Amino acid sequence: MKTLVCIKYVPDTSEAEVKVNPDGITVDDSRFSFDINDADNYAVEESVLLKEAHGGEVTVLSMGPKKSEVMIRMALAKGCDKAVRVEDDRVAGHDPLMVAKTLAGAIKGQEFDLVLTGCMASDDWHMSTGVALAEELGVNHASMVNYVEVMDGKVKVHRELEGGLLEAVELELPAVLTIQTGINEPRYAPIRGIRQAQKKELNVVSLDDLGIDPETVGMDASQVVLEKLYIPEVESTAEFIEGEPEEKAEKLASILQKGGLV
Amino acid sequence: MGNVLVLAEHRQGELRDVSFEMLAVAPAIAKDMGGEAVVLLVGSGMDDLAKKMAGYGVKVLVVDDPNFENFNAEKYQKVLSALIDDLKPAVLMTGHTAQGVDFMPALAVEKNLPLAADTIGLAYEDGTLKATRSMYSGKVNAVMAFKPAETYLVTFREGAVEAPEAAAEGSVEKLDNPFTDDVPYRKFVEYVEAEVGDVDITQSDILVAIGRGLKEDKNLPVVEELAAAIKADLAGSRAATDAGWIPHDRQVGTSGKAVKPKLYIAMGISGAFQHLAGMKGAKTIVAINKDPEAPIFTVADYAIVDDLFKVVPKLTEKLKELK
Ligand SMILES: Cc1cc2nc3c(=O)[nH]c(=O)nc-3n(C[C@H](O)[C@H](O)[C@H](O)COP(=O)(O)OP(=O)(O)OC[C@H]3O[C@@H](n4cnc5c(N)ncnc54)[C@H](O)[C@@H]3O)c2cc1C
């Protein structure tokens, strides 16, 4: 079983204040902490589980800056075998179709059974890269997968639909699966794995190394332009309860009680 | 002609909400682009659904074939690829749903057309179609402008706009199925229903809902005590169910359950749109979150910006006293 797993280094903005830079099209990410995208973390675990069950090899593929190598090493520590990091600022990173084309360029020519990606990146929320990648590679795909069973030359997966409903589908291999969170329990990297990871192969490549014409994945090739970013007005009609934590608790308790809510 | 083709979504014989919601947006855009909004239905046994969509005063095109009994991304891609060639719509839009995300990016690559995914608003300004999207935990909006293309592809977020009222009677027209082969690669096997747990949170009067802000399962007693004190059931965000703190059937949101309790207390939940979609119908919403920018506050009635571990134990104590 040969598997590639595509991962992305993303900022955690769930608790952070987000500010738009003066250029109007980027955010100030200098104070964010970065880590592996949530869904990609599950994809890494799934790739290692598949290797443990069926043998073979897992290659990590990531497009991102040098500092993302801590994330890549962590995936290697968990059991992935080697890694390729694509770094090239000529790629139009705002357009998942250009990212998919670049990743496909890094995969083409290699044999594989499965490519796993996360189903969504938690920074830009497109949910498009994996499915576009499948089309670029000319193979089957299923998105939002939360169960994988490899059979002879085929894979059976559950896709997560709305409202808790699942859809079971079968695909011929090779295929691209976009993995949904919750599919497994991502492991912690064992100490021994962390040591071994330092010695595993991590190739850093540019578009030129991959033989990709920058014209085909750059700003001119992208058919969408990121015109501006802005902070949406927060329309909250909530009553904000003020004071020290204890006072807030007391006030809320009495609101709930007087309102007959509890 | 600048027609906006709206691919309506349906499953197990029912139209999905997003199909109607897109009709709040498509007609105006179509008008600006010099065309009209046209609905497209692809499926098997579509007569009733087609009639229902036509009730919104639009023309409905139907590809009705047993081959499309269940959604299959590859078949949809093939049909839509052929229909784009035939109908040459200015825009093809569908839901940003488990269905839409499963084939639209591939279609965009196949046809070399631009795609704006997870769109929450559309505008046509000075000859340019612009899509508004939401990013970074809902804290930033992005405007994406399309470069000129034969057809613009859009997936539209469910729940981003309200569906219009049904209007005058439109018309229904059957199209020849441009694609009759069975797809060899991908096979629909079956639907698998969600497992049923001990508590049905859609029936609960009060829900105490937790999110990633709970940090670890050893903190569960903090919220369990509150729930016990006010006879509430525990529910949570996807992050809480993924972490295994609460069972999967207690997940609130698009991929979990839609709940309408009298009181919903959200603690350590940021309020991603997938979560909001499942709980904004609650009668009274209380949100406790230490991040003042958290989108959960946009739907809250009562808001506390603070550390839940400082507030909740005291809240539990007070509520017990007041009993
Ligand atoms: C296809 C798809 C379907 C999805 N369906 C659902 C769904 O049905 N339901 C759902 O919920 N999500 C769903 N999600 C996931 C969703 O996008 C979010 O990732 C998820 O809702 C985040 O959960 P959260 O708010 O608990 O965590 P986070 O977004 O990480 O937020 C944690 C919050 O806790 C706060 N916090 C941290 N510590 C404290 C503290 N001590 N005191 C107070 N506050 C604190 C932080 O400020 C932050 O706002 C879906 C995603 C996808 C891709």
Side-chain angles (χ1 to χ4, degrees):
Chain A
M1 189 84 209
K2 284 198 78 169
T3 305
L4 284 123
V5 58
C6 303
I7 61 178
K8 183 178 183 185
Y9 201 52
V10 295
D12 178 0
T13 52
S14 68
E15 296 180 29
E17 188 186 351
V18 182
K19 286 203 182 108
V20 178
N21 284 326
D23 69 2
I25 53 168
T26 55
V27 297
D28 175 9
D29 61 9
S30 58
R31 276 193 285 176
F32 297 157
S33 66
F34 281 73
D35 203 350
I36 186 169
N37 177 50
D38 203 16
D40 302 357
N41 194 30
Y42 290 89
V44 167
E45 178 64 27
E46 200 61 25
S47 72
V48 176
L49 290 174
L50 285 169
K51 181 179 123 175
E52 286 168 352
H54 305 279
E57 181 182 74
V58 182
T59 305
V60 177
L61 174 59
S62 185
M63 186 169 85
K66 170 102 181 126
K67 64 176 182 177
S68 69
E69 288 187 5
V70 283
M71 160 192 78
I72 295 173
R73 292 280 176 209
M74 200 48 85
L76 294 172
K78 290 179 177 186
C80 298
D81 297 285
K82 56 183 180 167
V84 177
R85 180 170 71 83
V86 183
E87 178 164 14
D88 203 311
D89 54 20
R90 291 170 292 180
V91 180
H94 73 288
D95 182 351
L97 302 185
M98 297 298 109
V99 175
K101 202 181 274 188
T102 308
L103 295 176
I107 295 172
K108 263 174 198 158
Q110 295 182 47
E111 261 183 55
F112 65 89
D113 300 294
L114 280 176
V115 176
L116 306 184
T117 72
C119 73
M120 177 181 97
S122 63
D123 52 355
D124 54 20
W125 288 21
H126 288 282
M127 300 187 82
S128 299
T129 307
V131 175
L133 174 61
E135 183 71 21
E136 290 285 354
L137 294 170
V139 301
N140 295 305
H141 73 269
S143 63
M144 302 165 82
V145 168
N146 74 352
Y147 170 80
V148 179
E149 186 185 337
V150 174
M151 305 180 293
D152 196 22
K154 275 195 295 196
V155 61
K156 182 177 170 184
V157 304
H158 286 176
R159 296 190 59 237
E160 205 184 81
L161 310 177
E162 288 77 15
L165 189 68
L166 303 171
E167 173 190 63
V169 298
E170 277 177 18
L171 310 170
E172 310 243 335
L173 297 175
V176 176
L177 307 178
T178 83
I179 301 294
Q180 175 59 293
T181 59
I183 182 174
N184 50 39
E185 285 176 40
R187 70 191 70 191
Y188 291 99
I191 304 283
R192 211 169 64 106
I194 293 175
R195 239 181 291 122
Q196 286 167 343
Q198 297 306 321
K199 296 192 209 98
K200 289 183 177 172
E201 176 185 324
L202 194 172
N203 276 323
V204 183
V205 295
S206 66
L207 292 177
D208 307 316
D209 297 328
L210 294 171
I212 300 173
D213 178 356
E215 298 278 299
T216 61
V217 292
M219 288 296 176
D220 289 341
S222 172
Q223 299 182 75
V224 289
V225 180
L226 180 56
E227 199 174 77
K228 68 168 179 191
L229 297 179
Y230 65 95
I231 309 292
E233 252 178 66
V234 183
E235 296 157 27
S236 176
T237 54
E239 176 181 336
F240 280 81
I241 300 170
E242 309 288 345
E244 290 303 305
E246 289 205 354
E247 290 173 63
K248 287 175 180 159
E250 279 179 26
K251 287 183 193 167
L252 177 60
S254 84
I255 289 170
L256 296 179
Q257 224 259 343
K258 285 192 189 129
L261 292 163
V262 291
Chain B
M1 271 259 293
N3 281 352
V4 176
L5 192 59
V6 176
L7 176 68
E9 183 173 332
H10 57 90
R11 182 179 303 136
Q12 297 177 308
E14 302 267 352
L15 286 158
R16 311 279 312 164
D17 291 347
V18 71
S19 307
F20 304 107
E21 289 163 7
M22 287 187 287
L23 294 180
V25 178
I29 294 295
K31 194 164 165 247
D32 292 347
M33 297 180 89
E36 56 182 356
V38 177
V39 169
L40 173 66
L41 266 169
V42 177
S44 175
M46 290 289 98
D47 289 354
D48 289 351
L49 302 192
K51 224 175 138 217
K52 205 160 178 193
M53 290 303 310
Y56 285 74
V58 284
K59 179 159 135 190
V60 180
L61 304 176
V62 186
V63 178
D64 202 329
D65 190 301
N67 199 5
F68 304 126
E69 174 154 8
N70 291 297
F71 170 74
N72 180 321
E74 280 182 273
K75 292 180 186 176
Y76 261 59
Q77 187 182 332
K78 295 238 157 70
V79 171
L80 285 155
S81 175
L83 289 178
I84 286 175
D85 294 341
D86 288 353
L87 304 171
K88 301 189 170 48
V91 180
L92 166 65
M93 70 192 288
T94 194
H96 186 72
T97 54
Q99 183 170 309
V101 303
D102 203 34
F103 74 94
M104 288 288 270
L107 183 64
V109 171
E110 180 198 328
K111 309 296 275 185
N112 191 27
L113 293 172
L115 168 69
D118 193 17
T119 295
I120 57 173
L122 273 180
Y124 190 69
E125 290 167 11
D126 309 322
T128 302
L129 185 66
K130 296 180 182 181
T132 303
R133 314 182 57 256
S134 164
M135 296 165 67
Y136 297 110
S137 314
K139 291 176 179 176
V140 177
N141 280 358
V143 178
M144 298 267 258
F146 283 100
K147 292 182 188 170
E150 288 289 310
T151 301
Y152 304 114
L153 304 183
V154 173
T155 57
F156 206 82
R157 179 184 292 185
E158 191 159 38
V161 297
E162 265 178 48
E165 297 286 319
E169 207 50 39
S171 61
V172 176
E173 183 188 322
K174 291 223 167 168
L175 299 179
D176 287 336
N177 177 10
F179 171 72
T180 46
D181 301 346
D182 198 8
V183 170
Y185 306 116
R186 174 154 162 181
K187 204 173 90 199
F188 172 87
V189 182
E190 60 182 346
Y191 287 114
V192 182
E193 296 289 340
E195 42 189 295
V196 189
D198 53 341
V199 173
D200 180 1
I201 56 169
T202 64
Q203 301 301 318
S204 304
D205 274 345
I206 307 180
L207 287 173
V208 164
I210 55 172
R212 207 188 312 270
L214 191 75
K215 293 279 181 316
E216 317 176 55
D217 58 358
K218 75 170 182 21
N219 296 327
L220 271 170
V222 176
V223 293
E224 282 167 349
E225 276 161 35
L226 171 64
I230 57 175
K231 296 202 174 56
D233 293 315
L234 273 190
S237 71
R238 180 165 191 127
T241 54
D242 282 348
W245 298 335
I246 48 170
H248 270 285
D249 63 305
R250 305 273 186 114
Q251 181 183 312
V252 174
T254 45
S255 56
K257 293 193 168 141
V259 296
K260 287 198 170 133
K262 287 195 208 116
L263 176 62
Y264 190 90
I265 308 182
M267 298 177 297
I269 294 178
S270 61
F273 77 93
Q274 296 100 338
H275 187 79
L276 300 186
M279 47 68 76
K280 62 185 175 198
K283 199 136 183 273
T284 301
I285 297 170
V286 175
I288 306 174
N289 194 307
K290 65 180 184 189
D291 174 11
E293 316 282 331
I296 189 78
F297 291 127
T298 62
V299 299
D301 299 293
Y302 299 102
I304 291 182
V305 180
D306 216 318
D307 182 343
L308 77 92
F309 298 109
K310 291 194 182 136
V311 175
V312 176
K314 189 76 193 167
L315 177 64
T316 309
E317 195 187 304
K318 266 282 147 204
L319 285 167
K320 277 188 188 157
E321 262 174 45
L322 290 171
K323 279 239 148 133

